């Protein structure tokens, strides 16, 4: 976990716990520092506590235990409207009885900003999301994407330094989502604001964030930059949650510093990078990314090769996805790029597969 | 407006924008045609016709039920508010004769003669008491006047009857009258009918078994009596009254005019006709008798009908106001009920304000309005927080509480209202508690029932669910994220509520207000039971006129005004709030 000193952290969660019913903890001992200007994503399956964390930061939920600090100041007891945090909701939450301009004017009016200044700011915010001509419309007259742009503009119009986004693109179609992902990151970068973004879409998390906090079971499982998260998952949950992953069960036979030997359930022995296994005899889950597996590698290039049988071949356009039976499991997936002379495998074909030991990570079972 | 291809988001699905653009485009081109060249609109209509017919067939049972049991009675009731045919139907001659009366003094003999003829017929048909009740709404005393007159009116003309009979006993014979008055051939038809009846009777007597006897029963009615054209021309009044006499004898008394001596008033009419000289040169049946009688009538002692009415029956007949009332309400349709309903009255001199001690309806309308509004606002005040709470609680709890809200519906309205009587009376629970706490002294107990306070308390309680339910169902649809968004944007709790939550709950308030207001404006049972004299509504007055005073016309007029008032308020509401802003959830 990144250890920035609490003093310079822009947002800090310290030993935060949250329980709704007094029996179970939804958030268990959360420690998280967010730097100024950072784009941090909270990623996790539903019920993992990520939205609760966001709501505690926004002030709509109170922490049962622990401290939340904003710019070094404890905000646990500050009501939401005094926190000055912009927020974008999944259902946009645009006020249906107000026009777009009135929606944007609302945060400025409650801050008692003069009319002319309000108009300048509204115009600037609308232009920022390229919705300049839509000021007179009602939210119901806009499409989902347009509404989300307005919601974004409204969260930014009063120039908060911290903006929270709760699955803002969840209700949009794929293409629109990608356009808006790009725009949100661009805006966040241009304006230099700090963004805490909640999503359950890992692609979104990986493409947008500076750092991603993977939540599960009320804890941060891993907090890291997107590439580190993907390349070096710290435990099997993260490995399986982020991207596609092949897993093989086994037992540690030999333990070294840089590598260990794992005997698979089927009896074959492979070498892997020890990540969170500590001693010989530990049960482990070995994970290998589908794109790091070679099919019929040239002899001598790969340290380990295993026998495999093709079960299914799926054409996906840019990649081929081949399902294999390997080491007694038949859900081993290999992804190969669609190159000019790439051979297409047929179900039933017997092949050999191989990978480099550093791509093969021995994790907790 | 941005074009579809240059907008920030390129949509393929239907958006409002697209629909507008589509409409623009469609407006510019020729009407769309279907594949076979017929206009698209027409082929669409044809395609939908079956569907529409089926929909109509499905609702038709309800539609017919509503038309028969709801729309028709209401239309009939509303019609009664202007209907006034009873005067012109019961007093046809008098109404015509009164047209020339100038409204001052006592009308002349001619009018009294007409009145006598009308009233004799009305008395025979027992219509004069109904007329009396009708006119009594406009002028007290008319009912007893009519009843009194009905008792004595058949004496008019008695003196003349005696003189005619004295002149020639033939006048006493029904046969004389029949031959004088009947249309050509009626006498023969009647004789045939009598013969047929006798034959049937004889056959019946001869019959052996009761069954046969029954089969031979003669049940044909006597041929309908009609006055001849000649008689009508020679004796217009006599013919008219005799025609009515014959008709009543045949239909009401089931007798034959050939066997009944005419009423005294017929002799009176005969005297009038003969004096008027219209029978000169009459050459029909009994011409000789008529000629002799005509020569004699100038020597007859004919007492004045007018003085008989005034001196013998009731001196009120000399009162111009009585006649004014009859004249004012002689037209078949009248605004009189509506005028009464707004504390005005129709007098011979035009429209005047009702006497202060009788004007009650404006006050009642105002009170109904005021109390309905008060009840509506109390319902908002009490219901809004409850609905707010309900909509923000978890489903399980809110459902339980909702059952509590609906609980009153499971007990009879009468029981609930009576319970309020127990609670609110001076020796009741609430007063006892207040005295016990020391808020009011024992000698100074609050009057909470049989007045406006009682009605407002009881009705607010009864109508509260009608406010809570629409409010709740609307509030349920307001996502909590709106208020959260408002707070995150810097609004205080109050601002977030007032500027974001409240406007979105307005449709629920609107629906609740309309429900509560319209229900309370026509409420009857509760004000009747707990309203006393100061807490009653216009509906109680309507009920009184329907069931006690039987002045249905006035009840209908009051009901119509109430309906118009509600519709006007509804229209006003639509203009101010907008009816599409009403939602039941």
């Amino acid at each position: 976990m990144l250890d920035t000193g609490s003093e310079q952290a822009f947002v800090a969660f310290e030993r935060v716990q949250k329980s709704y019913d007094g029996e179970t903890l939804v958030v268990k001992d959360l420690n998280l520092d967010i730097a100024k200007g950072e784009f941090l994503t909270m990623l996790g399956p539903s019920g993992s506590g990520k939205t609760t964390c966001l709501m505690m930061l926004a002030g709509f939920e109170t922490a049962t235990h622990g401290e939340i600090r904003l710019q070094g100041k404890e905000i646990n007891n500050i009501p939401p409207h005094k926190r000055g945090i912009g927020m974008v909701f999944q259902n946009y939450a645009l006020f249906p009885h107000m026009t777009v301009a009135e929606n944007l004017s609302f945060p400025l009016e409650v801050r008692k900003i003069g009319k002319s200044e309000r108009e300048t700011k509204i115009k600037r915010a609308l232009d920022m999301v390229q919705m300049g001509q839509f000021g007179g419309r009602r939210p119901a007259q806009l499409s989902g994407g347009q509404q989300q742009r307005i919601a974004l503009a409204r969260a930014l119009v009063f120039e908060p330094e911290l903006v929270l986004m709760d699955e803002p693109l969840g209700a949009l179609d794929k293409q629109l989502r990608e356009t808006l992902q790009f725009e949100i990151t661009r805006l966040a970068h241009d304006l230099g604001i700090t963004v805490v973004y909640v999503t359950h879409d890992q692609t979104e998390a990986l493409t947008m964030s500076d750092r991603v906090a993977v939540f599960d079971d009320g804890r941060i499982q891993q907090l890291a930059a997107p590439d580190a998260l993907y390349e070096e998952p710290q435990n099997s949950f993260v490995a399986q949650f982020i991207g596609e992953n092949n897993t093989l069960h086994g037992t540690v036979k030999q333990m070294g510093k840089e590598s260990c030997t794992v005997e698979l359930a089927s009896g074959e022995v492979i070498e892997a990078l020890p990540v969170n296994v500590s001693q010989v005899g530990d049960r482990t889950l070995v994970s290998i990314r589908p794109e790091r597996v070679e099919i019929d590698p040239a002899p001598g290039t790969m340290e380990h090769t295993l026998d495999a049988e093709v079960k299914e071949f799926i054409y996906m356009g840019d990649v081929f996805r081949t399902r294999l039976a390997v080491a007694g499991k038949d859900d081993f997936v290999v992804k190969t790029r669609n190159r000019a002379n790439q051979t297409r495998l047929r179900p039933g074909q017997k092949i050999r597969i191989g990978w480099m030991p550093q791509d093969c990570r021995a994790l907790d079972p | 407006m941005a074009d579809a291809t240059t907008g920030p988001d390129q949509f393929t699905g239907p958006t409002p924008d697209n629909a507008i653009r589509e409409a623009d485009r469609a407006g510019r081109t020729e009407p769309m045609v279907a594949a076979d060249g017929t206009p698209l609109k027409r082929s669409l209509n044809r395609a939908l016709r079956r569907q529409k017919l089926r929909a109509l067939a499905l609702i038709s049972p309800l539609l017919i039920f509503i038309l028969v049991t709801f729309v028709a009675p209401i239309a009939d009731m509303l019609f009664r508010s202007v209907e006034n045919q009873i005067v012109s139907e019961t007093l046809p001659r008098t109404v015509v004769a009164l047209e020339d009366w100038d409204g001052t003094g006592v009308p002349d003999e001619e009018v009294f003669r007409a009145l006598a003829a009308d009233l004799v017929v009305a008395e025979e048909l027992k219509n004069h008491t109904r007329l009396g009740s009708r006119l009594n709404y406009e002028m007290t005393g008319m009912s007893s006047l009519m009843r009194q007159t009905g008792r004595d009116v058949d004496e008019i003309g008695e003196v003349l009857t005696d003189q005619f009979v004295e002149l020639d006993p033939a006048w006493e014979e029904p046969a004389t009258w029949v031959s004088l008055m009947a249309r050509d051939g009626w006498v023969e038809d009647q004789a045939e009918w009598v013969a047929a009846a006798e034959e049937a009777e004889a056959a019946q007597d001869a019959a052996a078994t009761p069954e046969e006897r029954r089969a031979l029963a003669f049940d044909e009615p006597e041929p309908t009596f009609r006055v001849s054209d000649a008689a009508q021309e020679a004796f217009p009044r006599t013919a008219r009254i005799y025609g009515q006499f014959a008709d009543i004898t045949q239909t009401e008394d089931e007798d034959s005019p050939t066997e009944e001596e005419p009423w005294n008033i017929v002799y009176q009419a005969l005297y009038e006709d003969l004096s008027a000289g219209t029978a000169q040169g009459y050459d029909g049946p009994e011409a000789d008798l008529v000629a002799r009688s005509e020569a004699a009538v100038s020597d007859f002692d004919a007492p004045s009908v007018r003085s008989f009415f005034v001196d013998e029956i009731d001196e009120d007949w000399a009162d111009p106001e009585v006649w004014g009332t009859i004249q004012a309400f002689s037209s078949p349709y009248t605004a009189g009920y509506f005028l009464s309903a707004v504390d005005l009255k129709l007098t011979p001199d035009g429209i005047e304000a009702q006497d202060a001690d009788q004007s009650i309806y404006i006050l009642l309308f105002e009170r109904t309005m005021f109390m309905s509004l008060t009840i509506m606002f109390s319902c908002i005040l009490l219901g809004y927080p409850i609905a707010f709470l309900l909509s923000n609680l978890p489903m399980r709890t809110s459902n339980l509480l909702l059952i509590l809200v609906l609980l009153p519906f499971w007990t009879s309205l009468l029981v609930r209202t009576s319970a309020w009587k127990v609670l609110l009376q001076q020796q009741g629970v609430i007063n006892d508690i207040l005295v016990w706490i020391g808020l009011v002294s024992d000698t100074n107990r609050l009057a909470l029932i049989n007045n406006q306070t009682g009605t407002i308390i009881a009705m607010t309680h009864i109508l509260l669910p009608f406010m809570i339910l629409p409010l709740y169902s609307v509030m349920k649809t307001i996502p909590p994220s709106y208020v959260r968004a408002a707070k995150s944007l810097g609004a205080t709790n109050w601002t977030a509520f007032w500027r974001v939550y409240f406007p979105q709950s307005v449709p629920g308030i609107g629906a609740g207000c309309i429900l509560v207001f319209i229900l309370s404006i026509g409420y009857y049972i509760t004000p009747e039971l707990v309203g006393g004299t100061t807490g009653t509504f216009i509906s109680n007055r309507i009920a009184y006129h329907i069931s006690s005073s039987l002045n249905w016309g006035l009840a209908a007029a009051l009901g119509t005004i109430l309906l118009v008032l509600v519709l006007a308020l509804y229209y006003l509401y639509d203009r101010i709030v907008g009816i599409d802003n009403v939602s039941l959830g």
Side-chain angles (χ1 to χ4, degrees):
Chain A
M1 215 169 280
L2 210 76
D3 192 9
T4 15
S6 295
E7 299 88 74
Q8 58 262 58
F10 185 64
V11 177
F13 288 86
E14 202 177 292
R15 308 194 65 81
V16 171
Q17 290 182 324
K18 172 71 184 174
S19 173
Y20 285 109
D21 53 7
E23 285 167 16
T24 50
L25 284 172
V26 190
V27 175
K28 302 168 181 162
D29 193 28
L30 177 79
N31 292 288
L32 175 63
D33 288 343
I34 303 167
K36 194 165 166 54
E38 191 178 9
F39 196 119
L40 182 121
T41 298
M42 294 177 170
L43 175 69
S46 43
S48 59
K50 57 188 194 304
T51 302
T52 307
C53 287
L54 195 77
M55 289 301 165
M56 286 193 286
L57 183 52
F60 299 126
E61 301 289 354
T62 49
T64 317
H65 175 82
E67 211 172 81
I68 303 171
R69 283 193 299 271
L70 180 63
Q71 293 178 299
K73 214 171 72 191
E74 195 196 321
I75 55 169
N76 287 38
N77 295 318
I78 295 179
H81 67 271
K82 288 190 180 149
R83 297 193 182 189
I85 300 174
M87 187 149 181
V88 181
F89 293 83
Q90 182 176 12
N91 62 2
Y92 322 132
L94 292 176
F95 307 140
H97 56 291
M98 299 182 189
T99 64
V100 164
E102 284 165 353
N103 263 285
L104 263 70
S105 175
F106 185 82
L108 305 176
E109 279 168 43
V110 298
R111 287 180 170 74
K112 309 220 170 8
I113 289 172
K115 191 163 190 281
S116 58
E117 199 184 341
R118 278 208 310 260
E119 276 165 8
T120 336
K121 287 190 179 202
I122 292 168
K123 190 176 177 321
R124 198 193 308 148
L126 282 179
D127 287 341
M128 207 157 63
V129 293
Q130 296 155 44
M131 295 287 290
Q133 317 101 306
F134 292 82
R137 298 273 191 97
R138 297 256 169 185
Q141 295 169 302
L142 301 176
S143 67
Q146 290 170 326
Q147 289 190 43
Q148 194 53 280
R149 283 165 191 273
I150 301 301
L152 193 61
R154 189 180 64 177
L156 295 173
V157 70
F158 61 97
E159 292 159 13
E161 288 184 76
L162 175 61
V163 176
L164 311 183
M165 301 192 187
D166 184 10
E167 307 206 18
L169 309 179
L172 303 178
D173 61 56
K174 188 169 176 288
Q175 240 179 335
L176 205 51
R177 206 156 58 210
E178 281 168 6
T179 325
L180 278 170
Q181 280 169 10
F182 170 72
E183 273 193 55
I184 290 173
T185 27
R186 180 183 59 80
L187 273 172
H189 187 260
D190 289 355
L191 299 172
I193 49 173
T194 310
V195 177
V196 179
Y197 193 100
V198 162
T199 183
H200 61 259
D201 181 338
Q202 39 147 320
T203 326
E204 207 166 282
L206 295 181
T207 51
M208 297 174 80
S209 326
D210 295 330
R211 279 196 303 164
V212 179
V214 181
F215 275 71
D216 186 47
D217 195 26
R219 287 179 202 281
I220 294 181
Q221 301 291 332
Q222 188 171 356
L223 174 65
D227 53 346
L229 208 60
Y230 188 84
E231 307 278 346
E232 296 155 13
Q234 291 300 312
N235 57 36
S236 55
F237 174 80
V238 177
Q240 284 175 72
F241 190 74
I242 308 283
E244 209 171 358
N245 222 339
N246 292 306
T247 52
L248 298 167
H249 287 280
T251 320
V252 178
K253 281 283 147 196
Q254 258 179 24
M255 194 67 201
K257 209 160 174 50
E258 293 294 304
S259 82
C260 61
T261 317
V262 176
E263 188 190 345
L264 299 180
S266 59
E268 285 166 283
V269 176
I270 57 167
E271 229 167 280
L273 187 71
V275 180
N276 47 11
V277 286
S278 48
Q279 60 200 38
V280 174
D282 277 359
R283 292 189 49 76
T284 179
L285 201 67
V286 180
S287 91
I288 310 127
R289 293 284 179 199
E291 67 276 12
R292 296 294 167 93
V293 179
E294 285 277 328
I295 291 170
D296 288 333
T301 50
M302 296 283 163
E303 218 145 315
H304 282 290
T305 54
L306 290 176
D307 282 320
E309 188 190 340
V310 179
K311 286 285 177 194
E312 199 179 1
F313 177 83
I314 302 166
Y315 177 83
M316 291 176 74
D318 54 346
V319 291
F320 300 148
R321 191 169 183 276
T322 316
R323 188 162 63 82
L324 304 170
V326 174
K329 294 181 74 182
D330 61 357
D331 58 354
F332 196 95
V333 172
V334 177
K335 275 186 188 164
T336 42
R337 275 180 56 207
N338 184 359
R339 274 182 294 225
N341 52 356
Q342 187 73 29
T343 48
R344 300 191 183 183
L345 300 164
R346 288 179 315 279
Q349 213 174 340
K350 298 258 194 281
I351 53 165
R352 280 192 79 76
I353 53 168
W355 59 80
M356 303 301 284
Q358 64 268 31
D359 291 331
C360 174
R361 298 169 70 83
L363 305 169
D364 54 307
Chain B
M1 194 168 73
D3 196 66
T5 50
T6 59
D9 306 314
Q10 284 144 37
F11 302 107
T12 44
T15 66
D17 294 354
N18 285 351
I20 293 163
R21 279 192 285 271
E22 209 57 54
D24 282 353
R25 235 170 269 147
R28 281 197 294 272
T29 56
E30 295 295 303
M32 297 286 278
V33 290
D36 59 353
T38 53
L40 190 58
K41 272 228 164 75
R42 197 191 305 161
S43 35
L44 179 69
N45 281 344
R46 198 177 306 144
L48 291 179
R49 192 171 306 143
R50 258 185 83 88
Q51 249 174 302
K52 282 182 186 163
L53 283 176
R54 196 170 54 188
L56 192 69
L58 283 173
I59 61 155
S60 58
L62 178 66
L63 192 68
I64 292 167
F65 179 77
I66 297 243
L67 281 177
V68 171
T69 61
F70 189 70
V71 177
I74 286 183
D76 177 65
M77 202 63 213
L78 296 185
F79 177 64
R80 280 170 195 273
S81 62
V82 290
E83 189 197 23
N84 189 44
Q85 273 134 346
I86 186 165
V87 178
S88 55
E89 271 173 12
T90 317
L91 303 176
R93 299 175 182 84
T94 319
V95 165
V96 173
L98 261 182
E99 270 171 16
D100 300 329
W101 183 58
D102 59 359
T104 52
V106 187
D108 54 20
E109 174 77 9
E110 200 55 27
V111 174
F112 278 96
R113 285 173 171 177
L115 179 70
D118 285 338
L119 280 179
V120 168
V121 175
E123 201 270 336
E124 286 294 329
L125 294 169
K126 303 283 175 258
N127 274 344
H128 66 298
T129 46
R130 280 180 52 213
L131 176 72
S133 322
R134 166 66 189 99
L135 289 174
N136 205 51
Y137 302 146
E138 312 301 339
M139 185 183 168
T140 41
M142 288 298 265
S143 184
S144 60
L145 177 64
M146 284 295 168
R147 228 172 298 127
Q148 171 69 31
T149 310
R151 271 199 289 277
D152 299 336
V153 76
D154 57 345
E155 288 168 24
I156 293 174
E158 209 171 5
V159 183
L160 287 165
T161 310
D162 295 344
Q163 292 176 70
F164 272 111
V165 173
E166 204 176 302
L167 177 73
D168 192 328
W171 280 121
E172 210 172 5
E173 295 302 319
T176 315
W177 282 99
V178 168
S179 75
L180 181 67
M181 288 290 162
R183 66 167 164 86
D184 291 346
W186 187 83
V187 178
E188 288 78 12
D189 290 350
Q190 203 266 348
E192 252 171 58
W193 175 79
V194 170
E198 274 164 8
E199 201 175 305
E201 209 172 320
Q204 245 179 339
D205 289 343
T209 63
E211 286 78 32
E212 259 181 84
R213 191 183 292 254
R214 219 167 294 142
L216 287 168
F218 183 77
D219 53 2
E220 228 169 87
E222 192 180 38
T224 310
F225 185 89
R226 288 265 177 282
V227 176
S228 71
D229 293 342
Q232 233 155 29
E233 207 174 300
F235 321 100
R237 296 165 190 230
T238 320
R240 188 170 177 189
I241 190 79
Y242 188 81
Q244 284 176 314
F245 159 75
D247 184 41
I248 290 171
T249 308
Q250 281 193 318
T251 55
E252 301 289 316
D253 307 343
E254 294 184 1
D255 261 322
S256 173
T258 55
E259 288 164 15
E260 291 291 310
E261 197 183 329
W263 308 321
N264 290 330
I265 197 73
V266 175
Y267 294 91
Q268 168 78 30
L270 182 66
Y271 169 77
E272 287 164 18
D273 280 333
L274 292 178
S275 319
T278 45
Q280 266 174 2
Y282 170 75
D283 57 357
E286 317 284 344
D288 174 48
L289 178 64
V290 170
R292 269 189 293 121
S293 305
E294 191 181 2
V297 287
S298 50
D299 301 329
F300 276 14
D301 163 35
S304 155
V305 178
R306 175 167 142 175
S307 49
F308 183 82
F309 265 99
V310 175
D311 302 335
E312 303 286 324
I313 299 179
D314 200 316
E315 58 185 11
D316 279 354
W317 283 115
D319 183 357
E321 211 183 315
V322 169
W323 290 100
T325 307
I326 294 176
Q327 193 184 38
F329 290 93
S330 57
S331 61
Y333 298 100
T334 178
Y337 291 123
F338 278 101
L339 292 172
S340 307
V342 291
D343 288 339
L344 298 172
K345 60 180 176 184
L346 193 63
T347 65
D349 311 324
I351 296 165
E352 280 175 18
Q354 184 67 265
D355 305 333
D357 59 332
Q358 286 184 19
S359 54
I360 166 175
Y361 298 112
I362 293 282
L363 174 77
L364 270 176
F365 272 117
E366 281 172 2
R367 186 196 288 166
T368 305
M369 281 291 179
F370 164 75
M371 287 175 65
S372 296
L373 285 173
T374 313
I375 291 161
M376 188 183 88
F377 282 114
S378 344
C379 280
I380 298 177
L381 284 180
L382 295 176
Y384 198 93
I386 295 171
F388 184 80
L389 180 75
L390 282 176
S391 64
N392 283 304
L393 282 174
M395 206 56 165
R396 273 180 67 101
T397 333
S398 71
N399 278 346
L400 188 76
L401 289 177
L402 209 58
I403 288 173
L404 293 181
V405 169
L406 292 174
L407 204 62
F409 283 132
W410 302 349
T411 41
S412 146
L413 178 61
L414 217 56
V415 172
R416 276 181 283 158
T417 307
S418 310
W420 278 114
K421 258 186 130 86
V422 175
L423 286 172
L424 293 175
Q425 56 184 278
Q426 294 222 309
Q427 301 300 322
V429 181
I430 290 177
N431 263 313
D432 282 349
I433 292 175
L434 290 178
V435 170
W436 183 68
I437 298 173
L439 270 177
V440 291
S441 69
D442 198 15
T443 50
N444 227 347
R445 285 171 178 254
L446 300 175
L448 294 173
I449 197 102
N450 295 332
N451 55 18
Q452 291 197 7
T453 320
T455 308
I456 289 171
I457 292 176
M459 280 184 62
T460 302
H461 166 242
I462 284 159
L463 295 175
L464 197 56
F466 292 100
M467 180 64 81
I468 293 177
L469 291 178
L471 268 176
Y472 168 71
S473 61
V474 166
M475 286 176 174
K476 200 84 197 147
T477 63
I478 304 174
S481 63
Y482 286 132
V483 170
R484 286 186 166 182
K487 285 186 193 166
S488 82
L489 292 170
T492 57
N493 285 340
W494 170 250
T495 316
F497 168 77
W498 182 245
R499 291 204 45 197
V500 175
Y501 192 88
F502 182 77
Q504 295 185 65
S505 67
V506 162
I509 299 182
C513 283
I514 287 188
L515 269 177
V516 169
F517 185 77
I518 289 178
L519 279 174
S520 72
I521 209 172
Y523 225 73
Y524 167 68
I525 298 177
T526 306
E528 183 72 24
L529 290 178
V530 302
T533 49
T534 57
T536 50
F537 279 18
I538 193 74
S539 50
N540 301 99
R541 203 66 198 167
I542 294 178
Y544 165 77
H545 283 307
I546 290 277
S547 55
S548 297
S549 82
L550 300 183
N551 189 352
W552 285 21
L554 182 55
L558 289 169
T560 309
I561 292 178
L562 198 60
L563 180 66
V564 168
L565 220 59
V566 169
L567 289 179
L569 284 170
Y570 190 77
Y571 172 77
L572 214 68
Y573 184 91
D574 184 33
R575 293 301 300 272
I576 297 169
V577 186
I579 214 66
D580 46 343
N581 259 334
V582 167
S583 166
L584 292 172

